Amino acid sequence: MEALISENIVFISLLIAVMPLLTFFGSLIFRGNVIRGGAFAICNISLSLILSFILFMQVWNGPAIHEQFSWFTIGSWELQVGVLLNNLSVLMLLLVSGIALLVNIYSTKYMQGDPYIRRYWAYLGLFCFSMLGLVIVDNLLLIYMFWELVGFSSYLLIGFWFTRSTAVRANKKAFIMNRLGDLGFLIGIMILFSQFQTLDVTRLFGADGLVKAAVVSGGSWIGSAGSMPAEWLTTAGIVFFLAAVAKSAQFPLHTWLPDAMEGPTSVSSLIHAATMVAAGVFLIARVYPLFDDTVLLVIASIGAFTAFMAATIALTQNDIKRILAYSTISQLGFMMLAMGVGASGSALFHLVTHAFFKCLLFLAAGAIIHEMAHLKEKSGKDFDPQDIRNMGGLRKHMPVTFITMAIGSLALVALPLTSGYLSKDAILIQSFEWAEGSAGWHRLIPVSAMITSWLTAFYISRLIFKVFFGEFRLSALTGGHVHEAHAAMRYVLVILSVFCLFPVFSFHPLLFEDAWILQGFPQIDSMTRVNAFHTVVPAAVNLISIALICLCYRWYAATAKAPDYSRSVLFKFSQDQWHIDRFYSSVLVSGTTRFAGLLYWIDRHIVDGLVNTAGALGRRLAAGSRWIDRYVVDGLVNFSGYLAGVVGNFVRHFQTGRLQHYLVTMLIIILTLFIFKYYTAAI
């Protein structure tokens, strides 16, 4: 059996990716309850998950598997494409298919009754196919194609409820902002191809991917495929990072992700957990040997700033999905920070743990919104079902949702006994190790990451206490008939909550080094004072986080008398999302619109004016030419004809047919000539 699996391992990987594509075509072509109810989609993604697990067991910590075939030939150059299966690939296959299956099961009840449910399953299948294909292909051109397909399918899902103008604006915004990053990806491909005449990932970076095989020597980058000038190395690294910045919603291209919440919550969980936003981190991991120290510092700096910025914004938001959206941006910043400091294994570890607890948080929020929307429909009252200020006391009505969401929140805060504790502490400790012995900017990066961890504890505690504690704020208005979510939705939440606990990833609850995921990727060398970092950093993070949780409980649960900072400058600055969207709207969008208006005015009054003036002048010249042609040219021609007619008529009278007339005429002519000659001779 194992030999058979080994021989067909590439076929299995292709089958894993193709199964969701069958969902896409089947949902568009066929009808019936099997399609509408989601059974067809669940069967397909379940098969992908089973095969992914088999593939994972065969490949994990073993030699990479790489199979290629010739796609096309141009002249003497041949493009080889194929499948690359290493630890990174099989881990992402297992993660994407696992999260996608849970989201599909959840969607059977969350999306029940939607008139466009067949289209929903089709889009979801296309989305999963795009991401699964992205992680197994071995060529940058194919990665780029699946990268674009991920962006397109997310565009479809974000705007699924296309009758809402906000959803239409959101999917356009996501699509356009991701195109900026895609331009960087395309430039990076062109740079590498111009230097090495190959786009094969294994030839460029080695089969293991994350192994740091490239060094800068003598001003040139020495890689598996040859050498490249150091300046081109930096440029290529920056443009590839630009692609990841857009896809993983890093500053300054992060503003599309909060607006993407206009799609169904189940879609939001998939986008935020293991698919679209994870694609940027995956790309960084795939081309990781390409980044030199300059680019790595940029990656760490942008990641740290994004994490801090998004956490400060989440502090003051009231939309439950928007809080979680900015939380996602912040956690992605942690992953980018880890990539920048050389802790690529820790970044991928946090990518996996984050996928489970963020998917749990979004699906739990979806269950709450689902019930609040039903309450709104039953009561006939007008209120926002996503505003946490309209909730409160829901732990009594939705106990399973409360417990599971609390577990996910503890993992997000990274408290002990959770998976988030292992992965986030790995990032924080290794970032302090990286900054040890450095000065200035380097030291600020781990400090800002620690502050961000404390902010995370505050904003997620605020959400939990305002939603689940106290009294239901709309009970007098609506009667307060809120119920637990459907069993299918609850089971998914319970399963996800299990994956938020430490035993899934390590048998030791406090040592991230024992995590099996970290052991599958290269680790950075430990520095001096490593024991102190391993003790001081977790202690400082967790003690202050617990203190902040207690403060939130006092403000939002015990007394419900939190101080009012809504009039302060910092509060408004945070609530308005650092004015970044306002800046884009007022400066970039409005500026572009005004510039387009100016160009329109120039085109209308100057360009068209010149054209119209030239046209009028041309018409006048044509009129003058017409007059000359009619009265001068035609006049001369007509006068010549008229004169010929007059002369002809005059001469015609001499043609009488009588000989005596001709003799008289000849006599007159001869006499006239004689008289004329005589007269001239006399003169």
Side-chain angles (χ1 to χ4, degrees), residues 381-508:
K381 305 299 181 180
D382 185 21
F383 61 88
D384 185 358
Q386 296 183 192
D387 195 328
I388 61 175
R389 294 172 296 185
N390 294 329
M391 303 174 190
L394 294 184
R395 76 183 191 281
K396 303 173 184 176
H397 308 281
M398 307 177 72
V400 175
T401 303
F402 163 64
I403 294 172
T404 54
M405 195 169 188
I407 293 173
S409 300
L410 293 175
L412 174 62
V413 177
L415 291 184
L417 306 183
T418 65
S419 60
Y421 173 85
L422 298 172
S423 59
K424 186 180 284 187
D425 270 16
I427 294 174
L428 290 173
I429 291 169
Q430 290 175 325
S431 65
F432 273 100
E433 292 174 350
W434 169 80
E436 178 70 3
S438 303
W441 184 249
H442 292 71
R443 285 186 173 273
L444 290 178
I445 290 176
V447 172
S448 69
M450 181 175 284
I451 295 173
T452 302
S453 296
W454 297 331
L455 296 176
T456 303
F458 188 90
Y459 69 68
I460 198 63
S461 300
R462 170 178 174 264
L463 184 152
I464 293 295
F465 292 135
K466 287 182 74 71
V467 170
F468 292 105
F469 287 77
E471 297 296 328
F472 185 52
R473 296 175 181 85
L474 298 180
S475 57
L477 183 65
T478 63
H481 301 293
V482 181
H483 305 287
E484 187 63 88
H486 191 276
M489 299 166 68
R490 295 200 307 271
Y491 294 152
V492 170
L493 299 181
V494 171
I495 293 171
L496 286 169
S497 66
V498 172
F499 283 90
C500 294
L501 302 175
F502 76 91
V504 178
F505 302 99
S506 173
F507 291 118
H508 197 300

Side-chain angles (χ1 to χ4, degrees), residues 136 301 480 551:
I136 63 173
S301 302
L551 178 64

Side-chain angles (χ1 to χ4, degrees), residues 310-377:
T312 60
I313 295 174
L315 292 173
T316 58
Q317 302 303 306
N318 294 309
D319 186 306
I320 188 170
K321 289 177 68 176
R322 190 165 285 266
I323 294 172
L324 297 178
Y326 278 106
S327 173
T328 299
I329 296 173
S330 182
Q331 297 305 305
L332 289 167
F334 273 103
M335 299 173 207
M336 290 297 181
L337 185 158
M339 287 289 184
V341 302
S344 55
S346 298
L348 294 172
F349 185 22
H350 195 57
L351 173 65
V352 174
T353 60
H354 173 265
F356 289 107
F357 64 69
K358 187 53 60 68
C359 185
L360 170 59
L361 290 173
F362 265 109
L363 295 185
I368 295 169
I369 295 169
H370 195 259
E371 294 304 314
M372 293 291 289
H374 281 176
L375 182 62
K376 178 181 178 180
E377 183 180 352

Side-chain angles (χ1 to χ4, degrees), residues 230-266:
E231 57 270 16
W232 281 113
L233 170 67
T234 302
T235 304
I238 289 294
V239 293
F240 273 111
F241 177 58
L242 175 62
V245 163
K247 195 71 76 178
S248 291
Q250 298 295 284
F251 175 84
L253 301 179
H254 65 281
T255 58
W256 67 268
L257 191 58
D259 291 347
M261 298 300 96
E262 293 297 332
T265 305
S266 51

Side-chain angles (χ1 to χ4, degrees), residues 99-171:
I99 294 294
L101 174 60
L102 294 174
V103 170
N104 274 262
I105 296 172
Y106 181 94
S107 298
T108 57
K109 296 303 177 183
Y110 185 81
M111 297 297 294
Q112 190 175 34
D114 193 286
Y116 301 105
I117 187 65
R118 288 173 57 243
R119 188 159 53 84
Y120 173 82
W121 294 120
Y123 291 171
L124 210 60
L126 181 63
F127 196 24
C128 294
F129 163 72
S130 306
M131 191 65 196
L132 292 170
L134 175 70
V135 301
I136 63 173
V137 292
D138 71 334
N139 189 283
L140 285 176
L141 180 61
L142 282 180
I143 292 176
Y144 180 74
M145 294 169 64
F146 279 106
W147 180 274
E148 291 289 346
L149 197 56
V150 167
F152 173 68
S153 53
S154 67
Y155 165 82
L156 296 176
L157 284 170
I158 294 170
F160 176 74
W161 285 320
F162 58 89
T163 55
R164 301 179 183 178
S165 59
T166 53
V168 174
R169 288 196 298 269
N171 72 345

Side-chain angles (χ1 to χ4, degrees), residues 247-299:
K247 195 71 76 178
S248 291
Q250 298 295 284
F251 175 84
L253 301 179
H254 65 281
T255 58
W256 67 268
L257 191 58
D259 291 347
M261 298 300 96
E262 293 297 332
T265 305
S266 51
V267 169
S268 302
S269 67
L270 192 59
I271 290 176
H272 286 247
T275 51
M276 184 171 181
V277 296
V281 179
F282 171 80
L283 178 65
I284 296 294
R286 204 49 136 183
V287 301
Y288 195 70
L290 182 67
F291 301 120
D292 61 13
D293 291 339
T294 301
V295 180
L296 288 175
L297 180 59
V298 172
I299 294 174

